[in-house]
Amino acid sequence: MRFSELRKIKQEAPRPEPVNPARSAPAPVREKEKAVEPSLPEKQTPPPEPPAPAPVRPEIQESAKQSTGSTPKSRREARALSRPTEAPFREQDLKAREVYSRILDLSGSFLKAIDQPYTEKYEAIMAACGLVIETLRTNGVLLNYTVYSTAEDYLRGHTANTTIMSLAMGLEAGFGDSELRLLGFCAMAHDIGMTEYASLYNRPDRLGKNEFAEMSLHAEAGVAKLGRIVDLDYKIKDRASHIVLQTHERADGSGYPDRLSDEELDPLAQIISIADAYEAMTHPRAWRNAVNAPDAIKELVEKEGRGFNAKAVKALISAVSIYPPGSLVQLSSKEIARVIRVSRGFLSKPLVEILLDPAFNQINPQLLDLFEHPLTSIDRTVNFSELERRNPKCAARLEMSRWWVEW
Ligand SMILES: [Fe+2]
């Protein structure tokens, strides 16, 4: 579905009620916060308005109480006790939105500044990467925001998302702080060579062989542009240049520009490379729709990572799980839900928001933490085309909610 089509749908469809928003931010799981009236927070610019929280199923409270007993009675309970305590979802979501908005702003200003003869963005990017790293350590909800696309220029959202995903993967892979910051900087810079090819990447049809070859030159163009960043530390410039140049290579030698193989590639380049590909697959482009996130993960795993390094594939799965944020799933209760927070270390036990009953009829959104609710599990993923067929209004609302714009 294209952004232009969504505008039409929006004009035709009734505006969603605040109590039942397209992209609901669910209520925290804590008992005391259940009493808080659902309300929209103060409007921020540029982020879209965060929607109202969803209520929490009562059985979650019971389950949570059981799992906090003094002596673990089972392996599952023992693992639950060792899981770090998460802040309430609502609190995490507001903080994550603020951080995402900052990264998006920086991504946009960097992509503009890099087309000037000189720019001073290195320190700002390093500081922003530090903020993302610290946020990801305690607030996995930031990863949810990488489902957004930017309508006016996809490159802005793509760059921000690839940076956050790369850092989430770097954390899972156990990189140290300075390596993580370099990873973030290179992810932010990996497509700076693309700004010269806007007429090609914004075209509504697929590129031909010659056009693709022309656009592939953006890898070298990006390295040349690194020289314009006057505050880039000269000690790391050489390595940063290698990493940026290698982010379009593949471990099986099928990438560009130099068709390097696995052992020749910098590990940071391999992380950015798969984050870049996964982000691109799961977001719409002018010439194609987005791939469902679980299908993208499946494809990366089953096709041996599409030429990616096995450790990088593992880091991706550890970071976004097999049901990444935004995935639509059918629960064992047959209800339809959307994944809204990955549980670190527990790939099939995310926090979900139940949106539809088993017949795909809309219900008031409800939160369910599958980690704390052992009687419910994920039966299967729901293809977006199935949702479009069985509840087109819900499908349209979910699609609209993926665009980071002010309506
Ligand atoms: Fe990219």
Side-chain angles (χ1 to χ4, degrees):
M1 185 176 288
R2 305 282 182 268
F3 180 68
S4 55
E5 292 168 357
L6 292 174
R7 281 188 184 282
K8 259 190 263 167
I9 290 167
K10 188 202 173 259
Q11 283 160 6
E12 288 161 12
R15 193 178 179 85
E17 290 297 317
V19 293
N20 191 15
R23 183 186 169 79
S24 325
V29 182
R30 305 291 184 267
E31 184 72 49
K32 62 180 179 184
E33 295 195 31
K34 280 181 71 185
V36 175
E37 280 293 309
S39 62
L40 292 172
E42 281 183 29
K43 195 176 179 183
Q44 298 171 13
T45 303
E49 294 173 1
V56 183
R57 283 200 170 174
E59 57 263 40
I60 296 175
Q61 310 295 336
E62 286 308 309
S63 173
K65 279 177 202 163
Q66 284 165 17
S67 68
T68 53
S70 55
T71 309
K73 295 186 178 65
S74 64
R75 212 168 124 200
R76 186 189 167 276
E77 205 170 314
R79 286 198 304 173
L81 288 172
S82 69
R83 192 170 76 146
T85 310
E86 298 254 23
F89 183 87
R90 181 72 167 160
E91 195 181 293
Q92 286 188 319
D93 190 51
L94 286 171
K95 177 68 183 163
R97 178 175 293 274
E98 192 186 314
V99 173
Y100 185 72
S101 178
R102 281 182 60 181
I103 302 306
L104 212 46
D105 278 350
L106 181 63
S107 162
S109 65
F110 181 45
L111 289 167
K112 279 199 181 96
I114 203 68
D115 282 336
Q116 303 301 314
Y118 298 105
T119 179
E120 280 184 292
K121 286 286 184 190
Y122 174 70
E123 291 298 338
I125 292 170
M126 290 303 259
C129 290
L131 176 67
V132 172
I133 293 162
E134 282 316 302
T135 307
L136 285 170
R137 283 191 209 278
T138 55
N139 183 353
V141 178
L142 179 57
L143 213 49
N144 288 9
Y145 281 83
T146 60
V147 302
Y148 276 106
S149 292
T150 39
E152 81 290 354
D153 176 11
Y154 93 82
L155 204 53
R156 183 167 72 108
H158 169 69
T159 298
N161 295 340
T162 303
T163 302
I164 295 169
M165 285 176 184
S166 296
L167 288 172
M169 291 169 64
L171 279 167
E172 292 298 330
F175 291 133
D177 201 57
S178 61
E179 285 287 278
L180 280 173
R181 284 174 188 249
L182 177 60
L183 175 69
F185 170 75
C186 293
M188 192 64 99
H190 85 280
D191 265 347
I192 52 177
M194 283 281 273
T195 58
E196 293 164 27
Y197 299 92
S199 61
L200 286 177
Y201 71 65
N202 278 326
R203 268 183 34 180
D205 51 341
R206 269 193 180 279
L207 297 183
K209 202 175 168 187
N210 291 341
E211 291 158 329
F212 183 78
E214 187 187 342
M215 205 166 78
S216 301
L217 297 174
H218 81 269
E220 284 112 326
V223 173
K225 283 184 179 182
L226 286 177
R228 300 177 184 182
I229 307 172
V230 292
D231 59 340
L232 173 58
D233 187 332
Y234 71 93
K235 289 179 193 162
I236 66 155
K237 190 177 171 188
D238 281 352
R239 180 147 178 233
S241 298
H242 277 108
I243 294 169
V244 169
L245 188 64
Q246 291 178 359
T247 53
H248 299 85
E249 300 283 358
R250 295 288 180 263
D252 64 357
S254 64
Y256 62 87
D258 297 320
R259 303 181 73 86
L260 300 177
S261 55
D262 196 2
E263 59 280 3
E264 296 172 287
L265 296 174
D266 191 297
L268 301 194
Q270 303 212 12
I271 294 279
I272 297 167
S273 178
I274 195 167
D276 177 34
Y278 173 77
E279 203 281 347
M281 289 165 82
T282 52
H283 290 72
R285 291 289 179 265
W287 66 93
R288 61 155 173 79
N289 291 327
V291 176
N292 284 344
D295 292 344
I297 293 289
K298 201 169 166 222
E299 187 173 336
L300 288 167
V301 172
E302 286 183 356
K303 292 188 179 173
E304 295 185 342
R306 276 182 159 197
F308 291 105
N309 171 285
K311 282 185 188 164
V313 175
K314 193 176 166 203
L316 175 71
I317 294 169
S318 298
V320 304
S321 101
I322 50 176
Y323 302 110
S327 300
L328 287 172
V329 294
Q330 186 161 42
L331 304 176
S332 51
S333 61
K334 303 304 170 198
E335 293 161 307
I336 308 301
R338 180 175 54 165
V339 173
I340 57 169
R341 184 177 68 199
V342 169
S343 292
R344 281 186 83 181
F346 303 93
L347 298 182
S348 60
K349 297 286 179 188
L351 177 66
V352 299
E353 182 183 27
I354 300 171
L355 302 172
L356 304 174
D357 70 13
F360 280 68
N361 297 314
Q362 192 146 331
I363 56 173
N364 284 332
Q366 288 184 307
L367 276 188
L368 191 65
D369 190 338
L370 296 181
F371 184 84
E372 295 180 346
H373 196 262
L375 299 180
T376 308
S377 58
I378 293 176
D379 262 9
R380 66 178 181 107
T381 57
V382 174
N383 205 299
F384 197 75
S385 56
E386 183 181 352
L387 182 66
E388 279 180 314
R389 187 165 42 81
R390 300 193 60 179
N391 192 330
K393 278 188 181 174
C394 178
R397 277 201 293 271
L398 287 181
E399 274 297 89
M400 275 197 285
S401 71
R402 287 174 54 115
W403 295 94
W404 186 268
V405 285
E406 293 281 344
W407 288 104

